[in-house]
């Protein structure tokens, strides 16, 4: 677990994570050569008491998204947490 530095913009952190993980995936196999991440992202803070639940969710994400696609889940999550979603800016 890590903490977001107040001295580094979140957009920069996300850019580095997306770039590094995409590059690593492309190195795995040539079938991933054309892989590209979406331009956008959502960022939410997680209290320390919920970290293990988030880890569990991430581990079961493939199974979970077999039942509900990412966009539906994102909308539901934002609504549950009172975060407005402007569809013009959320999806590529």
């Amino acid at each position: 677990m890590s903490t977001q530095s107040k001295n580094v913009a979140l957009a920069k952190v996300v850019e580095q994570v997306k770039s590094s993980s995409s590059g690593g995936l492309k190195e795995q196999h040539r079938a991933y050569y054309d892989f590209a991440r979406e331009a956008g992202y959502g960022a939410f803070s997680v209290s320390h008491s919920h970290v293990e639940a988030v880890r569990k969710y991430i581990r079961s994400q493939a199974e979970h998204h077999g039942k509900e696609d990412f966009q539906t889940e994102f909308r539901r999550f934002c609504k549950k947490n009172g975060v407005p979603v402007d569809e013009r800016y959320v999806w590529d």
Side-chain angles (χ1 to χ4, degrees):
M1 184 172 74
S2 64
T3 322
Q4 170 62 38
S5 169
K6 66 180 182 178
N7 299 318
V8 179
L10 179 59
K12 188 67 174 170
V13 172
V14 171
E15 175 189 337
Q16 290 172 345
V17 168
K18 289 171 103 176
S19 175
S20 175
S21 62
S22 293
L25 184 61
K26 290 176 183 184
E27 290 175 6
Q28 295 276 324
H29 194 277
R30 66 176 177 246
Y32 299 120
Y33 181 75
D34 291 331
F35 176 81
R37 300 231 180 249
E38 292 183 355
Y41 63 91
F44 299 87
S45 61
V46 177
S47 68
H48 184 71
S49 62
H50 291 94
V51 168
E52 193 51 44
V54 171
R55 287 181 178 148
K56 182 179 177 183
Y57 165 79
I58 292 169
R59 287 192 295 268
S60 64
Q61 204 169 17
E63 176 186 336
H64 177 76
H65 283 159
K67 299 173 188 169
E68 178 179 52
D69 69 23
F70 170 74
Q71 290 181 344
T72 302
E73 179 185 32
F74 188 79
R75 288 181 189 109
R76 183 177 50 77
F77 183 80
C78 288
K79 183 176 181 178
K80 175 183 173 185
N81 291 284
V83 177
V85 176
D86 187 335
E87 300 276 340
R88 296 175 298 172
Y89 303 111
V90 177
W91 321 117
D92 285 346

